[in-house]
Amino acid sequence: SPVINSVAGGAPGATLQKKVTKERCDAFPLQESFKNIKSFIEACAMSAEGKELPQAPEPAAATTASSSAASATELLRDTPLKPLLASVTDTLFPTLHGFVDSIPLHDMKAQRFGNKAFRDFCQKISDELLNGFIKTSFMPVLEAMKKKSNDSAAPIPPAVANEMYEYLLDSFGNAQRIDYGTGHELHFLCFLYVAVVSSVGVPQPSDAATDNASVASSVENGLKEGLADLVLVVFPQYLAFCRRLQQHYSLEPAGSHGVWGLDDYHHLPFLFGASQLVGSEPNILPKHISEKHLVEKLRKKYLYFEMIGWIGDNKKGPFHEHSPILYNVSGIEEWARIRQGMLKMYVAEVMGRFAVVQHFLFGPTLPWKENGEVEQPVSL
């Protein structure tokens, strides 16, 4: 089987390194990087409050990259983040879909679980994304955005290109285990975080964000609308592509909690989706996830109902049996409380769980600082 030969994933010489050991796991929440990731995710969730998924004409086929990319780009509003987000929708995802199209599947008779062609896909993104998408397409866009926001700003350091590349490499699953989980989803958010911070910056609270309103008010309005497009246009594209990978290559869930988890692969769509629905009561209530006709009606507008619909499409048996946590959550009457609970669950079960964060990658923008280390501001 091929070996991924890029310098990434914590390998010697990589820009990003794994730092969390079992002994250090409890110290991760004290790190500034932890607080910045949490604040960014919370700001993304807040930006989507009360907003529906924008609607576009259905592409001719679910895997037709060019048509889906064109329709997604049309949905982006004129915000400070539009060039960045358009580069992801126009260039990155069509490129990734093209990689999948070009790689033949392996004969499953020779393997028990996931299709080993997934390793060929991982090798392809390892070989081509840095000099292709990142350096040729993405970095010039970010440089132009930075110059527009601050004409006298220094150029983006070359290490940032490697940083984004390495986060992207680990955003779609693990080549050796042929699996995908919430840690990969987290690394895709880190890729976007680095891109946003390096181009336009994101105001960050100086301490852990505990008040949703304070995070929302800390984000300048235009940037907040840009984050809403990130959540409602770009993230669904990522979700759709990851689902394609999961089904096409039969990826195993990484560290799934089985019936005691929200979903075998994802968490963030539930947080973002609950935020979309804040204030929709009494027209749309959490208990409506049990009504199939309402799920079908609402899933094109709201990520939360899209996730419920997807689970219903792919799991057999009564909902309360295969998804007891989601079923129990549906007894809560306010979407704001569900959003708050989903964030707390994410912090505890993803960012606070050693099985996930042992693989988390730290670098120039999201560093691990040792005790007593003097904080060096990232030159952006």
Side-chain angles (χ1 to χ4, degrees):
S1 63
V3 176
I4 306 303
N5 56 24
S6 66
V7 187
T15 299
L16 305 182
Q17 298 289 331
K18 298 176 183 178
K19 295 288 187 180
V20 180
T21 61
K22 218 161 203 173
E23 295 72 31
R24 283 175 152 186
C25 193
D26 290 342
F28 184 29
L30 304 177
Q31 290 281 323
E32 195 69 21
S33 291
F34 182 101
K35 299 170 186 177
N36 287 342
I37 297 165
K38 178 176 178 282
S39 293
F40 181 67
I41 289 172
E42 193 168 4
C44 285
M46 290 298 299
S47 75
E49 182 177 316
K51 296 182 174 72
E52 296 181 0
L53 293 170
Q55 300 301 304
E58 290 290 331
T63 57
T64 302
S66 58
S67 59
S68 62
S71 60
T73 305
E74 291 168 6
L75 303 176
L76 295 172
R77 294 167 296 169
D78 188 15
T79 71
L81 292 185
K82 183 174 182 179
L84 183 165
L85 302 179
S87 184
V88 175
T89 59
D90 279 356
T91 307
L92 175 61
F93 284 116
T95 299
L96 293 172
H97 278 289
F99 290 167
V100 176
D101 292 338
S102 69
I103 296 168
L105 291 172
H106 291 203
D107 185 356
M108 285 301 290
K109 292 178 183 176
Q111 49 208 309
R112 279 188 67 191
F113 299 112
N115 196 294
K116 291 181 182 177
F118 180 64
R119 293 175 179 165
D120 301 333
F121 167 78
C122 293
Q123 186 67 56
K124 187 85 168 168
I125 62 174
S126 168
D127 291 343
E128 299 194 20
L129 274 191
L130 180 60
N131 290 323
F133 169 70
I134 293 289
K135 289 187 176 179
T136 304
S137 300
F138 204 47
M139 286 298 288
V141 168
L142 301 187
E143 289 283 10
M145 290 171 63
K146 184 171 187 182
K147 188 172 179 61
K148 184 177 179 180
S149 65
N150 182 358
D151 193 47
S152 61
I156 299 172
V160 171
N162 293 328
E163 190 176 12
M164 291 187 295
Y165 162 68
E166 290 170 33
Y167 277 131
L168 261 188
L169 280 190
D170 201 55
S171 292
F172 306 107
N174 182 274
Q176 296 308 118
R177 298 189 304 268
I178 313 183
D179 67 7
Y180 175 94
T182 50
H184 303 112
E185 181 186 67
L186 173 59
H187 275 159
F188 184 70
L189 258 289
C190 290
F191 156 71
L192 293 172
Y193 173 84
V194 173
V196 171
V197 168
S198 63
S199 58
V200 298
V202 175
Q204 295 289 353
S206 60
D207 55 7
T210 55
D211 179 6
N212 289 336
S214 69
V215 175
S217 63
S218 75
V219 182
E220 180 264 330
N221 190 53
L223 187 54
K224 181 181 177 183
E225 292 302 303
L227 291 180
D229 281 358
L230 183 156
V231 171
L232 301 175
V233 179
V234 173
F235 192 79
Q237 268 206 320
Y238 170 72
L239 182 62
F241 179 68
C242 288
R243 284 175 174 173
R244 185 185 182 195
L245 295 181
Q246 291 153 18
Q247 294 187 320
H248 190 66
Y249 298 116
S250 301
L251 301 186
E252 292 288 309
S256 170
H257 289 203
V259 298
W260 298 110
L262 290 178
D263 176 78
D264 288 337
Y265 299 102
H266 296 280
H267 185 115
L268 287 174
F270 294 100
L271 170 59
F272 296 157
S275 192
Q276 281 183 274
L277 289 156
V278 169
S280 67
E281 309 92 340
N283 295 324
I284 306 174
L285 296 170
K287 68 181 182 181
H288 289 156
I289 69 165
S290 298
E291 300 183 32
K292 286 187 178 180
H293 71 286
L294 287 177
V295 171
E296 287 306 307
K297 178 182 175 182
L298 297 170
R299 66 188 295 183
K300 289 186 178 181
K301 296 180 179 180
Y302 301 103
L303 279 168
Y304 197 96
F305 281 91
E306 163 52 29
M307 294 302 293
I308 299 298
W310 180 261
I311 291 170
D313 293 342
N314 290 279
K315 292 195 174 183
K316 299 189 185 330
F319 188 84
H320 69 273
E321 289 185 3
H322 60 62
S323 302
I325 300 240
L326 286 169
Y327 180 76
N328 289 340
V329 166
S330 71
I332 298 171
E333 296 183 353
E334 297 175 359
W335 288 109
R337 287 184 57 203
I338 293 180
R339 176 177 64 188
Q340 183 182 24
M342 289 295 174
L343 179 64
K344 286 182 178 178
M345 187 176 181
Y346 190 81
V347 170
E349 298 297 327
V350 178
M351 296 177 68
R353 186 168 288 275
F354 176 68
V356 177
V357 296
Q358 66 178 323
H359 304 296
F360 186 82
L361 299 172
F362 295 87
T365 310
L366 290 167
W368 177 282
K369 295 187 177 70
E370 304 293 347
N371 287 337
E373 183 179 338
V374 177
E375 181 172 350
Q376 298 295 327
V378 180
S379 176
L380 295 175

